[in-house]
Amino acid sequence: MDLILCHTTADFDALGAAVGLTRLLPGSKIVLTGGSHPPVRDFLALHRDEYSLIERRSVNPEKIRSLTVVDTQQRARLGKAAEWLDLPNLREIIVYDHHLGQESDILATRSHISSVGATTTLIVEQLQQQQISLTPAEATVMALGIHVDTGSLTFDQSTPRDALALAWLMQQGASLSVISTYRDPGLSLQLQQLLTEALENLEYLYLHGYTVAWVTLKTDSFVPGLSSLASELVELTEIDAILLANEYPLGESDSRLTVIGRSQIPKTNLNLLFQLLGGGGHSQAASLNLRKVDSQAILKQLLDGIKAQIPHPPTARDLMSSPVRTILPETTIAEAQRILLRYGHSGLSVVDAQKQLVGIISRRDIEIALHHGFSHAPVKGYMSRNLKTITPDTTLPEIESVMVTYDIGRLPVLENEQLVGIVTRTDVLRELHQEREEERGRGEQTKTGRRGESNLNLPQLQNKLTPRLWQLLTTASQEAEKRGWHLYLVGGAVRDLLLAQASGTLMIKDIDLVVDGFHKSADVGAGVELAKALQQLYPAARLEIHGAFQTAALLWHKDPELDSLGVDIATARTEFYPYPAANPEVEASSIRQDLYRRDFTINALALRLTTPHAGVGVQQAVPLLDFFGGLIDLQAKQIRVLHANSFIEDPTRIYRGVRFAVRFGFQIEPQTEEFIRYAINSGVYDRTAQENSRTPALQTRLKTELKHILEAPYWKSALQLLDNLGALQCIHLSLKLDAELLRQLRLLERCLRRFDPQPTLIHWEMRLETLIAHLAAEYRAKVAKNLQLPEDSIARLKNLAKVQTEVMTLLPTLQRPSQVVQLLRQYDLPMLILIAVQSPRSLRHQIWEYFTVWANVQPLLNGNDLKKLGYKPGAQYRQILDDVLAATLDGVIKDKFEAEEFLAQQYLK
């Protein structure tokens, strides 16, 4: 006998999963181990004969061969049927469940536990795989299981898999009318009476913007359907969480307590709280049953647990952009429009001479004024003076309420009557979306353990970094917090942390930190101040301060613990390019603007290292700031640019995009590729170079990117992708990676491996020189100067054509090895390599033989030998030794004796 066991007080999910299993396990029977929910009981009163149900009392334990348990992993939830799990004659115990994170006390031979909204979904997926069809009655009860356990796909634990399972069940003939009847059957008369009592006795707690309610109902006996009553109370009172307790006697000295919990508060997990007392369920819905306990003490313990879990809601301080871009009332409409265009804002705050906020002007206001020809009018005539403002401590729910009530898209944040920030509708929507994504991510992480990327917790982050580096970041965040600043780990380090494997530490050599204010504005010197404070704590680090914007770097060199680590620290900033390929103009801004100025979405990620509120305690999650979909692009393995003009402003971003694509095995997103090709084909770089004496993005910054590419092991693939995009034009308009250039690059690698194995040459520079040498002779030196190559490289490329002509003219005419050596030894190794890779095979063979054989031949005699032979020291020594070497190379003399005879014939003593 093969049995399928539903847990006590079976719900529709347990019944639906069991019915589906009877098709997967032909001949098996369903046992309801102890009662059912009232809707299930009413459903079975009409439909019991459609399913393979038997009574527990009719089972002969000696004949049981296998047990399959659905929708639970706890023996206690199987009632007396739990005794069957210990039968010696059992061949197999199988468990199907969707409650992850629970400790099972059932010794199953096989388990099917997954992160879905209903256990029935797991059964549906197996039925689909085995192409098993259902009857309408079977499909209906299974659909009821998914509907009820997922709230018709509205509960947070609902997944796309549940939706697909429901769709398939509808195809199998599930009755919508029956589902509608039993999914929400309404409250029984007894429950309606208890609802009235509960509404009169509910107690409330308001904490961090959320309302928690609780009530204890005392009855004479067990009341079925309390979960429906709890859901009804949440809906009627619009509370965020409820604890519904029911206490009733079992005898003179015994009693039972049932507690039903429901929560709609993000980041709370009722399952964890109820498990501590022997109950369980989901993060949003859980229950427990206890005997002989102090009901009020239990309720207080659960209530304290919920209060501890309720998160501090984000405040304006966390959401706002700071510093705020402001203008004076006398600013013209035209100038206001220019500022909006430069910074991409949708409105501007207007302040008077004392920095007091006096109004706000929106992009729409400016556009209307321009439309009517008032470009020279002051903004004070068009700004809105009827302002709604908030403080830094205004919570997200309060901000949302103000925006909705007054239909306002921008709320100034005032502290001591000074404008310290601005919160926009976009900020609010993004935060709400991020909270939902984080909650979904936490749910999936709890269920699957695979969603660490979207919200790194402290152990995950700490385990990926070396202990010393982790301590450095912790110290930096503490120093920033002392000054009222947020500190963010940004850019490539965040990307690499998210890409890193779960096990093992990640060796990061370069770290970028950004300082941003949250209750004190972080001005232009904040990064330097923080760097100086850290240097006092880490005296082994060298402090460097760069440029007018006051960025700072801490540099360690072969430190025993931090090795050669570089930490750049800057204040959050925004940038504006005065013309394409120029150096950007930068100024203090917010972390969001700082991330927006970066090249690609996968590099526009930040991890906040500081906590948002003092006194919260140890931060258990490190919030990931992802304003532009970088995490999605990491998962999709694609390189996507942040805005359409990115490559026009800075062509080196093309090279970085190619470098990242090849390095990580990513694809360049199609629209990003279109932007690249448009920028290149527009001719903007050539025009810019002609119109401006300084184009750093086509000079020093391009050289830096070429260095990163040409010294990497993937340089060939990167060059091929750059050529495919037409991006080698950034070096010179005529440069293309044709078959001849590819051949020369292959020959170059052979030369470098053979003649410079140590190496003594800078190989990436040799690759770049080979690229430049492929250009027409008149362009080579100019390109080398533009890229600011070393003087010897510039000279070599300038003289290459002349030297190459000389060598290629003379070399074929030389018959003796000594003549070849005399010609070639006047040139250095890099010059001869450049000539060799461009020469025909016959000449290249001679140069190759020079390197491998003739250049290594030494004269058979030296100066001491000449002195012993009686030749007077002097200028003739050099000529004598050259003649000996030539004779040796040409085979005229073969040993020292012949060399001495050769000298006796050629030179007088």
Side-chain angles (χ1 to χ4, degrees), residues 427-440 626 632:
D427 297 328
V428 171
L429 292 175
R430 183 180 289 115
E431 182 67 26
L432 292 173
H433 172 74
Q434 185 166 319
E435 282 187 356
R436 288 192 294 269
E437 289 301 308
E438 286 179 1
E439 186 65 23
R440 186 178 296 117
D626 179 14
I632 294 173

Side-chain angles (χ1 to χ4, degrees), residues 329-335 369-370 372-380 382:
E330 294 75 25
T331 305
T332 65
I333 292 291
E335 176 63 11
L370 289 171
H372 291 295
F374 290 100
S375 60
H376 298 291
V379 296
K380 62 184 178 182
Y382 293 86

Side-chain angles (χ1 to χ4, degrees), residues 708-759:
H708 288 319
I709 288 173
L710 293 174
E711 68 184 2
Y714 48 76
W715 65 269
K716 291 180 184 176
S717 299
L719 282 182
Q720 288 172 335
L721 181 52
L722 285 168
D723 182 64
N724 177 265
L725 293 168
L728 292 179
Q729 292 181 37
C730 295
I731 300 174
H732 191 270
L733 285 173
S734 65
L735 185 59
K736 294 185 182 301
L737 193 66
D738 54 26
E740 174 59 23
L741 180 53
L742 283 170
R743 184 187 72 84
Q744 292 175 16
L745 288 168
R746 287 195 297 270
L747 290 171
L748 172 68
E749 292 308 295
R750 290 175 59 190
C751 290
L752 292 175
R753 285 197 302 271
R754 184 65 184 270
F755 308 133
D756 192 39
Q758 288 313 316

Side-chain angles (χ1 to χ4, degrees), residues 25 33 74 189 247 253 346 373 440 512 515 644 738 792 819:
L25 306 171
T33 59
Q74 307 297 321
L189 180 60
E247 189 177 11
S253 59
S346 59
R440 186 178 296 117
D512 288 322
V515 178
D738 54 26
D792 62 331
Q819 294 173 316

